[in-house]
């Protein structure tokens, strides 16, 4: 795996895929996200790391409005997320999401999982949607499972289907919420390989993960969060070799220590 | 591997490498077959042995009581007195026996109430067509089961109609209609669903008779409303829905009457009218039961969704409705239907009593249905909702395509229990003066001089028919659960 490392933060004026400014969110009285500022460039790949409860999942779930934010601005692909349902649906159909627990629809076949949203949201004819689905299922290397149900597949296969399902909507941005955390070690690699391939195609990616090898291989930028704040961000090389904050050093020593 | 082994563990006493894998072997003989079953299930310990003998004792008692009553039964007699005499002569004084001769004479009243005898074919046909209307929905993805059901429905409807004395021409027409419909189901399933939607109107026409145009115009109102929704729904959303309702209501109130009578003048499609007070027995129970089942499921779904809604007004309305209806006995609602509604309706309006009862039974069942379905909705993992949202499906599409198919599947046992309970509750209509098969019909028959004192026989007969119908529903629900099983665990 070789990827060219670009500059950490996109230059001003470069077209941004996501702009987050002064984002704050509370669960009840608990302040989960505190003054988050983040600009994601087109084609940029960001890995978000941090201890559990640091708000990293909440942050990417705010980007497609699975979580509502209380103050600040989130602009995705030129559309600001407000209470306007039309804008929310527009952003959601442009942003693909992959969950920790796959969340495939168990009552539908793999193929139907992949064609549901294209047919009902994008209004693509069924045949065309099926062709697209088969294309992406081939890309994640499980076209032969198309007519099975999710319950018949292994965890790694299910997660690859989930990636294919998101790609079938032809999203401009992909969000990954700990995509390998629920998988057996043997299956993590097949999912990471799929994600690396996706990265090579130039997809804009935000990925919450503990896979530091993946971060080093793929990310342009690593963001470290703690207590709802961005504590440190840098290129993977600098982040891992030369962490600046004490909190980051502690975190890295704990996850890389054994 | 072997290298690491030799490096780290070779000199120690833990070193071990398996050379061959063991093949699986059959279990010991004492662990299989009938002996194992008996030992494990009936005689596994002192308590179980005792329970086994108590159980056998109870079976002996029941068989010893019911057995003679059934085996001493009399089928050929003209009255209860004659029955008793025959039993006493054959089995000696003091012997008990069932007098099923009652059923031989009066079975038709249990089934059809006071429905005109020469028109019995109409409810029979309506009941047969019910299965044709349901088959493409209930047996959508199993051609074999569907064909068996269709074949049985057609054959039995024709056979029963013939036995009830339908003429050759009528039988031919019925056969043509049903075979044509079955052909449509097997070749053009989408179109046959339209026929299924038209079924309720056809059934109402067959049961109550009169001019077909009345029912046709009622249906036209729905088509009109749907047309308005199709035309404007995409652009105006809820406003278009309101418009559709207004258009349909205007049609029903203002135009459908004159148009129907105009058309009836041109092409009179009439069946002899049968009034609601001639309904009784199972014709009444099944009419109310089927209508209540068909209406309470969609209403229950809407109430369940409303109760989980984020909009406080809708949620409060749903909770109030559900809790109020569940907190009141069904009989109270039936009394409201028969008495109170008259006060609220403008004087002179004649609002059919069966229709009123159907409305109340539907409301009652839908409150329970809503709670059953809410359980199914709550059982779905949050991730399913999130995945649907993340793909950009809007609320209604997410509900229809992702949430409800799974939630309803989970709720099948509860839904069918509610159906079965409601169907049996239709016997309560006796309290508002309708002739249910269990109490009102049995009382009516007992009121005649010949069958005075026949208590057990009607209950056994009516109970058996209820059991067959309810057991059928229960078996179908189990079949459906197996059929929809997708987790393959």
């Amino acid at each position: 795996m070789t990827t060219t490392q670009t500059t950490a933060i996109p230059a001003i004026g470069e077209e941004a895929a996501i702009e987050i400014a002064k984002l704050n969110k509370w669960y009840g009285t608990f302040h989960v996200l505190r003054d988050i500022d983040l600009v994601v460039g087109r084609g940029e790949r960001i890995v978000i790391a941090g201890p559990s409860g640091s708000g990293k999942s909440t942050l990417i779930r705010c980007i497609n409005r699975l979580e509502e934010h209380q103050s600040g601005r989130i602009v995705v692909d030129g559309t600001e997320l407000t209470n306007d349902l039309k804008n929310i649906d527009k952003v959601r159909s442009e942003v693909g999401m992959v969950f920790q627990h796959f969340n495939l629809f168990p009552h539908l076949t793999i193929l139907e999982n992949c064609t549901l949203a294209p047919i009902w949201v994008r209004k693509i004819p069924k045949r065309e949607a099926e062709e697209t689905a088969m294309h992406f299922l081939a890309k994640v290397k499980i076209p032969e499972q198309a007519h099975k149900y999710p319950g018949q597949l292994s965890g790694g296969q299910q997660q690859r289907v989930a990636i294919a399902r998101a790609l079938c909507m032809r999203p401009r941005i992909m969000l990954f919420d700990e995509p390998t955390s629920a998988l057996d070690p043997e299956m993590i690699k097949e999912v990471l390989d799929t994600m690396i391939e996706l990265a090579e195609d130039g997809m804009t990616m935000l990925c919450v993960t503990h896979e530091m090898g993946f971060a080093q291989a793929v990310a342009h930028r690593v963001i470290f969060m703690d207590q709802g704040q961005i504590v440190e961000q840098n290129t993977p090389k600098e982040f891992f070799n030369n962490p600046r904050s004490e909190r980051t050093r502690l975190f890295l020593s704990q996850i890389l220590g054994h | 591997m072997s290298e690491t082994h030799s490096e780290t563990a070779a000199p120690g006493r833990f070193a071990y490498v398996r050379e061959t894998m063991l093949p699986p072997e059959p279990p010991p003989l004492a662990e299989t077959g009938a002996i194992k079953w008996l030992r494990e299930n009936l005689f596994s310990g002192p308590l179980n042995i005792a329970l086994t003998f108590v159980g056998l004792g109870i079976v002996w008692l029941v068989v010893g009581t019911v057995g003679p009553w059934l085996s001493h039964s009399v089928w050929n007699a003209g009255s209860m007195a004659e029955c008793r005499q025959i039993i006493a002569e054959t089995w000696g004084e003091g012997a008990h026996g069932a007098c099923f001769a009652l059923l031989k004479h009066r079975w038709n009243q249990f089934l059809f109430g006071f429905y005109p005898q020469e028109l019995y074919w109409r409810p029979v046909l309506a009941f047969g067509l019910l299965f044709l209307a349901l088959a493409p929905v209930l047996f959508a993805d199993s051609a074999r089961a569907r064909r068996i059901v269709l074949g049985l429905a057609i054959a039995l409807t024709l056979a029963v109609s013939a036995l009830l004395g339908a003429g050759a021409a009528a039988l031919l027409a019925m056969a043509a209609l049903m075979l044509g419909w079955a052909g449509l189901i097997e070749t053009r399933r989408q179109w046959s669903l339209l026929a299924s939607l038209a079924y309720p109107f056809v059934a109402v026409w067959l049961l109550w008779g009169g001019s077909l145009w009345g029912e046709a115009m009622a249906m036209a109102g729905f088509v009109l409303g749907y047309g308005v929704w199709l035309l404007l729904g995409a652009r105006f959303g809820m406003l278009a829905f309101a418009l559709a309702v207004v258009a349909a209501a205007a049609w029903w109130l203002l135009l459908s009457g004159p148009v129907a009578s105009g058309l009836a003048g041109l092409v009179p499609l009439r069946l002899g009218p049968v009034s609601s007070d001639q309904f009784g027995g199972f014709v009444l129970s099944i009419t109310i039961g089927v209508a209540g089942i068909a209406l309470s499921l969609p209403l229950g779904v809407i109430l369940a969704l409303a109760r989980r809604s984020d909009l406080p007004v809708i949620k409060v309305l749903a909770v109030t409705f559900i809790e109020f209806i569940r907190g009141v006995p069904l009989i109270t609602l039936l009394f409201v239907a028969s008495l109170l509604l008259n006060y609220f309706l403008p004087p002179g309006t004649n609002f059919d009593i069966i229709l009123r009862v159907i409305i109340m039974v539907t409301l009652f069942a839908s409150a329970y249905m809503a709670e059953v379905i809410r359980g199914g909705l709550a059982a779905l993992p949050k991730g399913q909702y999130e995945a649907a949202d993340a793909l950009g499906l809007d609320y209604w599409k997410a509900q229809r395509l992702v949430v409800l198919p799974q939630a309803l599947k989970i709720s099948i046992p509860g839904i069918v229990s509610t159906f079965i309970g409601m169907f049996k509750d239709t016997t309560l209509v006796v309290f508002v003066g309708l002739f249910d098969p269990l109490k009102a019909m049995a009382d009516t028959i007992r009121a005649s001089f010949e069958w005075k004192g026949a208590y057990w026989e009607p209950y056994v007969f009516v109970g058996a028919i209820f059991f067959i119908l309810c057991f059928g529903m229960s078996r179908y629900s189990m079949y459906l659960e197996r059929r929809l099983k997708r987790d393959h665990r």
Side-chain angles (χ1 to χ4, degrees), chain A residues 104-123:
Chain A
L104 294 178
F105 304 132
H107 62 302
L108 300 177
T109 64
I110 300 307
L111 189 62
E112 288 165 341
N113 263 280
C114 293
T115 56
L116 185 79
I119 290 173
W120 290 93
V121 179
R122 289 253 192 270
K123 313 277 180 202

Side-chain angles (χ1 to χ4, degrees), chain A residues 84-250:
Chain A
D84 187 342
L85 287 176
K86 281 225 170 76
N87 279 353
I88 294 174
D89 283 338
K90 181 159 177 268
V91 166
R92 281 173 177 169
S93 62
E94 301 295 337
V95 176
M97 179 131 188
V98 176
F99 299 89
Q100 182 179 0
H101 296 288
F102 333 135
N103 297 352
L104 294 178
F105 304 132
H107 62 302
L108 300 177
T109 64
I110 300 307
L111 189 62
E112 288 165 341
N113 263 280
C114 293
T115 56
L116 185 79
I119 290 173
W120 290 93
V121 179
R122 289 253 192 270
K123 313 277 180 202
I124 291 171
K126 188 168 177 234
R127 181 168 302 241
E128 201 185 317
E130 283 178 354
E131 277 167 21
T132 312
M134 288 312 293
H135 167 76
F136 283 112
L137 285 174
K139 203 172 159 77
V140 301
K141 301 190 179 64
I142 33 176
E144 72 282 357
Q145 314 282 4
H147 296 287
K148 289 192 183 166
Y149 286 93
Q152 294 166 287
L153 269 55
S154 74
Q157 289 174 323
Q158 289 193 47
Q159 192 61 297
R160 284 186 282 151
V161 171
I163 295 173
R165 175 176 74 176
L167 291 176
C168 283
M169 286 293 279
R170 308 241 180 224
R172 293 151 160 270
I173 300 163
M174 285 285 285
L175 307 174
F176 293 86
D177 189 0
E178 304 203 21
T180 56
S181 302
L183 294 175
D184 291 343
E186 282 184 81
M187 294 168 181
I188 290 177
K189 187 174 177 300
E190 62 187 54
V191 170
L192 289 181
D193 284 347
T194 307
M195 290 168 64
I196 289 169
E197 212 172 293
L198 198 58
E200 284 168 346
D201 292 348
M203 176 67 77
T204 308
M205 292 166 73
L206 263 83
C207 185
V208 172
T209 183
H210 298 298
E211 298 296 331
M212 291 303 136
F214 172 79
Q216 268 172 318
V218 169
H220 295 134
R221 173 157 48 136
V222 178
I223 290 177
F224 177 72
M225 286 183 71
D226 188 30
Q227 294 176 21
Q229 295 148 78
I230 295 179
V231 175
E232 184 165 349
Q233 53 176 320
N234 216 327
T235 59
K237 203 172 165 192
E238 280 295 299
F239 180 81
F240 289 111
N241 297 335
N242 189 16
R244 290 185 200 151
S245 87
E246 189 52 43
R247 186 67 189 88
T248 313
R249 271 197 287 275
L250 181 65

